[in-house]
Amino acid sequence: MATCEGKEALSSVLNRVPPLLTDLYQFTMAYAYWRAGRHNEPAVFELFFRDNPFGGGFSLFAGLSDCLLFLQNFTFSDDDVEYLRSVLPAGTDAAFFSYLKELDCSSVSVSAVPEGSVVFARVPLLEVSGPLAVVQLLETSLLCLVNYASLVCSNAARFRLAAGPRRRLMEMGLRRAQGPDGGLTASRYTYIGGFDLTSNALAGRLFGIPVAGTMAHSYVTSFSSLEEVWPQTLEPCGGSGPIDFICLVKGWLGRVCQLLGSKTNLVREGELAAFLSYAIAYPQNFLPVIDSYSVSCSGLLCFCAVALALYELQYRPLGVRLDSGDLCRQSLEVRRVFKECSKQFSVPQFESLIIVGTNSISEQSLAELNKKDNEIDVVGVGTHLVTCTRQPSLGCVYKLIEVRGRPRMKMSEDPEKSTLPGRKSVYRLLDADGHPQMDLICLSEEPAPKAGVSLNCFPLGLNKMVQTVTPAQVTSLRLEVFTCGQITFPLNSASESRERAQISLQTLNPHHKRLQEPHDYTVALSERLHSLVSDITKGNSKGSNFLLSN
């Protein structure tokens, strides 16, 4: 992680996720463990989700860097402990609060899937081991850091797949996000998921994400007359004395209207004034929104006039933004006009000016946009991206799998909510084309599967029927990232995690990447893990006679 970004990210995590950002029952359980003398028993938890989000075939894992920074700096201040003293039941032993003051993660270790990796339902993403009371206290905070980050990152990846590789995507959902932290988190993880730009200035500073933005409709409608334009001159890019820019633009407006057969009396003077004023302020960054009134009768004409004047003075305007109506139809008309102006006025660059489309874009509308003829180069997405309107939560859970070296398993009347016992290793089996074909969950003491060697396994959700598979390649999914209180795996910057995410997605079989009705990806248990699950389940079904024992 770059030094500047690393310091900013650390400060951000410490401010957003102090140790008290958790559920109260974590402390009541920790106290009960401590009271019973069990707080230092070695225990292991794992974090996973049960279903792939948005009805899709995959997810992206995100939030790991924040988790590691949180763990490294986990400690309770005196004020934290005094607050807990005031809210825990009156009978809580005072010595417990002294114990909390000394608590940290120096005995905690974590293995994890690298951030930005493609992951699937039921695969353990994090394995957290350490003293029972400590790793219990970490549950809510770790879930909070992973759940939304992975969800919005996966949502962004789906938008990227819907948009295709050519079109640039800009995240602009800060004003619609669930609070400041939701907005900041969304900007970071939608970039990792495949977006190119953000409107969020703080995200740009903290995470090195490219930022963009020019003007809103309010800027355009604040002008009503050319008399409001000041200064009224602009010096050519090469520098040869100020030019009367208003007069120059008026001349170009007449020529554009004549070329297009448009009526000058329909041009809004306030819109032209707004464009003039902004172009004088930022002649190299001129990209106005052109639908405040009428695109064809005013906005587009004003832009062409101002942009052609800028070209005459050796500047390079950027393009336009469309924010309402039929974006595809309007983009075609805008590009047609750009090409006519380019040809008529001998300005080759004019026909390749950028067209940005924004207007409550959803995954579905983006996919539909791709099916129509259009000339949109950049799509800005806000509400449907950052709020994940199709699914509000990923549903990650954090479950106990081992205590004192003995496997633990949650039973449930709903089989989907049962957990898998014991410490595990996770392997991704690849086919001959290099596509992932299965994730295999094994007990940690088992030997790793080998490429070219057949093995038997039990796919989850297939009535426990055995399946034989021969992988062409085998990779281990998880790495040791945190050992005895220290981060042992380099923290990735947002751009590094983004690169990993895009490479990981490229390896997926297209059948699993389909946005609609994707093929199910196989997650399977090794024979030994399947046998352990069966043994524990059978033992539990026999019940216990502990009440009858002496």
Side-chain angles (χ1 to χ4, degrees), residues 2-126:
T3 302
C4 180
E5 182 180 339
K7 291 179 180 178
E8 296 280 14
L10 173 59
S11 175
S12 173
V13 171
L14 296 182
N15 291 333
R16 294 182 296 125
V17 197
L20 273 187
L21 188 68
T22 188
D23 295 308
L24 184 64
Y25 80 168
Q26 306 292 4
F27 295 102
T28 61
M29 286 188 287
Y31 175 70
Y33 287 139
W34 178 86
R35 188 74 178 79
R38 297 190 59 204
H39 55 291
N40 283 326
E41 289 182 1
V44 185
F45 285 77
E46 66 184 18
L47 186 151
F48 62 95
F49 59 93
R50 294 190 175 100
D51 296 292
N52 293 317
F54 311 111
F58 69 91
S59 181
L60 288 177
F61 174 52
L64 177 60
S65 292
D66 281 353
C67 288
L68 298 180
L69 291 171
F70 165 74
L71 293 172
Q72 188 177 49
N73 295 277
F74 182 88
T75 184
F76 293 102
S77 68
D78 290 345
D79 288 343
D80 291 338
V81 174
E82 288 309 306
Y83 171 74
L84 289 170
R85 193 190 303 271
S86 73
V87 296
L88 287 175
T92 305
D93 191 324
F96 175 66
F97 299 106
S98 298
Y99 161 74
L100 288 180
K101 287 183 179 181
E102 302 300 319
L103 214 58
D104 59 24
C105 286
S106 58
S107 297
V108 173
S109 295
V110 178
S111 66
V113 176
E115 184 162 82
S117 299
V118 166
V119 290
F120 302 95
R122 301 301 300 272
V123 172
L125 309 176
L126 292 177

Side-chain angles (χ1 to χ4, degrees), residues 379-390:
V379 176
V381 190
T383 304
H384 294 292
L385 175 66
V386 304
T387 64
C388 299
T389 48
R390 290 187 59 195

Side-chain angles (χ1 to χ4, degrees), residues 505-522:
L505 281 167
Q506 287 171 11
T507 65
L508 266 190
N509 191 300
H511 295 309
H512 298 128
K513 286 192 286 190
R514 288 201 316 223
L515 299 180
Q516 303 297 325
E517 300 181 351
H519 288 191
D520 290 334
Y521 183 82
T522 301

Side-chain angles (χ1 to χ4, degrees), residues 264-298:
T264 55
N265 64 311
L266 296 180
V267 173
R268 301 292 295 248
E269 183 178 349
E271 189 166 34
L272 181 61
F275 290 5
L276 277 161
S277 183
Y278 196 90
I280 290 170
Y282 286 112
Q284 298 280 31
N285 193 44
F286 183 55
L287 194 155
V289 58
I290 61 172
D291 64 345
S292 297
Y293 302 106
S294 168
V295 172
S296 58
C297 294
S298 182

Side-chain angles (χ1 to χ4, degrees), residues 167 328 364-374:
R167 210 182 308 273
C328 292
Q364 181 179 356
S365 64
L366 187 55
E368 291 174 351
L369 182 146
N370 263 359
K371 296 176 184 177
K372 300 178 182 178
D373 289 338
N374 69 85

